[in-house]
Amino acid sequence: MEFAGMCARVWDPLWARIKADDPDFPNVREAVNSTNFNFGPTVVMTAPNDEGIIGLHSRRDIMLHPACHDNEPFVKAVLDSFFETKEELRNNLQQIDVKQMEARKI
């Protein structure tokens, strides 16, 4: 977590990797873009490293105010949302794969 006054940036670092030349990479990128249209953590992809590996991370900015008595359940909900974002990415990737398989049948 990074803090700036009452704001915090929460990171879930490097929870997945993919090679830039992986044939599934275009589908992963499309799934990431679809996932990022939802509210919640944003999926961030790094530039390829020297080995051509792209890392996937998530981050979310929140505000924590001392006058808010519900910060604890709020932070728990924020942390839980990182799991929801990963699941949304998986679902989006599966939908893309299904659409491509159906298109090949035609």
Side-chain angles (χ1 to χ4, degrees), residues 15 28-43 58 82 84-93 96:
W15 48 265
V28 170
R29 184 177 53 220
E30 183 179 341
V32 166
N33 286 337
S34 295
T35 302
N36 284 342
F37 275 98
N38 295 327
F39 183 78
T42 300
V43 179
S58 298
F82 282 89
E84 296 162 9
T85 295
K86 290 177 196 174
E87 186 62 29
E88 182 69 22
L89 178 63
R90 280 188 212 83
N91 291 338
N92 288 334
L93 188 54
I96 292 165

Side-chain angles (χ1 to χ4, degrees), residues 41 60 73-86:
R60 184 167 177 187
F74 171 67
V75 171
K76 181 186 181 320
V78 166
L79 295 176
D80 288 344
S81 71
F82 282 89
F83 295 105
E84 296 162 9
T85 295
K86 290 177 196 174

